[in-house]
Amino acid sequence: MSGNTDVVTNQFTLGDEQATINLAHAFALACEASTAVNKGLVVYLKGDLGAGKSFFSRAFIQTFLPGQKVKSPTYTMVESYKTSIVTIHHFDLYRLCDPEELEYLAIRDLLLGSFVALVEWPQKGEPIFPDADVVIELQHPPGFESENRKVEITAHSTVGKAVVEQMMTNMRE
Ligand SMILES: Nc1ncnc2c1ncn2[C@@H]1O[C@H](COP(=O)(O)OP(=O)(O)OP(=O)(O)O)[C@@H](O)[C@H]1O
Ligand SMILES: [Mg+2]
């Protein structure tokens, strides 16, 4: 969550749901491969309602936990999944009225050790939620076929850059 780096941006078109699943798997495997995530990785998932943030999160979690039921954290705001490698915290801050409410979620205690935090609607947590290592922005362009999405992935820290570079390698293989 720290360290200066040039911002690295990658853009893709996701033609269908399977393309989003493949991207989530490649990203998850990059997280698994990176010892950097031992210090924790914060991933902001941006995009409008229905852009595919939860869909991406489910595929990410199921890379580590195949078949895992992934509940929407819309009301609980966070659902956590312990894997043998990292703990995944899936946040949805859409219903947060005031960022101060994050105190009740004890985020400082949650975001310790080896974790990946996937954060839907991170804007609602500003300025209290920790900064992103990686920002994944999904767009559902109007007028496009219904499964078509655009995605932009940007690294904002040294750790984030290492993970995104590993993901790019995974996708080429
Ligand atoms: N290429 C694609 N990638 C992701 N989702 C897709 C794609 N094509 C179609 N979908 C569908 O779009 C929907 C995305 O819903 P999802 O709940 O993931 O959105 P969201 O961004 O989490 O919205 P919200 O802000 O309401 O939480 C799902 O029903 C999914 O099946
Ligand atoms: Mg969602």
Side-chain angles (χ1 to χ4, degrees):
M1 282 173 283
S2 61
N4 293 323
T5 181
D6 296 327
V7 170
V8 182
T9 303
N10 297 281
Q11 289 174 319
F12 309 92
T13 298
L14 302 167
D16 56 19
E17 291 185 348
Q18 191 57 50
T20 304
I21 292 171
N22 293 347
L23 178 75
H25 285 338
F27 187 66
L29 293 174
C31 291
E32 182 178 2
S34 172
T35 53
V37 294
N38 290 342
K39 294 196 193 105
L41 189 79
V42 175
V43 181
Y44 284 4
L45 290 165
K46 294 189 172 177
D48 289 342
L49 292 167
K53 304 178 294 294
S54 296
F55 187 91
F56 178 94
S57 301
R58 187 180 317 117
F60 180 96
I61 293 161
Q62 289 177 345
T63 310
F64 296 93
L65 303 169
Q68 171 72 44
K69 190 171 184 307
V70 176
K71 284 190 284 179
S72 168
T74 307
Y75 293 97
T76 53
M77 291 207 198
V78 60
E79 294 287 341
S80 299
Y81 303 86
K82 211 166 169 36
T83 82
S84 54
I85 297 133
V86 284
T87 301
I88 303 166
H89 300 295
H90 179 201
F91 289 89
D92 184 345
L93 304 183
Y94 188 71
R95 291 182 175 269
L96 203 64
C97 296
D98 182 333
E100 300 281 339
E101 289 172 29
L102 287 168
E103 297 295 337
Y104 299 112
L105 295 180
I107 51 166
R108 263 188 294 267
D109 298 333
L110 280 182
L111 304 185
L112 286 175
S114 183
F115 72 85
V116 177
L118 302 173
V119 193
E120 298 187 41
W121 296 100
Q123 329 54 323
K124 302 263 186 173
E126 283 174 354
I128 290 183
F129 206 94
D131 290 340
D133 295 290
V134 178
V135 176
I136 299 179
E137 179 149 15
L138 288 148
Q139 286 176 3
H140 188 182
F144 275 57
E145 286 174 29
S146 65
E147 290 205 8
N148 209 315
R149 301 289 190 275
K150 293 226 182 285
V151 62
E152 191 172 279
I153 302 186
T154 309
H156 289 268
S157 69
T158 312
V159 175
K161 195 174 167 199
V163 172
V164 172
E165 280 173 358
Q166 180 64 50
M167 179 197 78
M168 295 301 289
T169 305
N170 292 350
M171 291 179 78
R172 278 191 290 268
E173 282 169 2

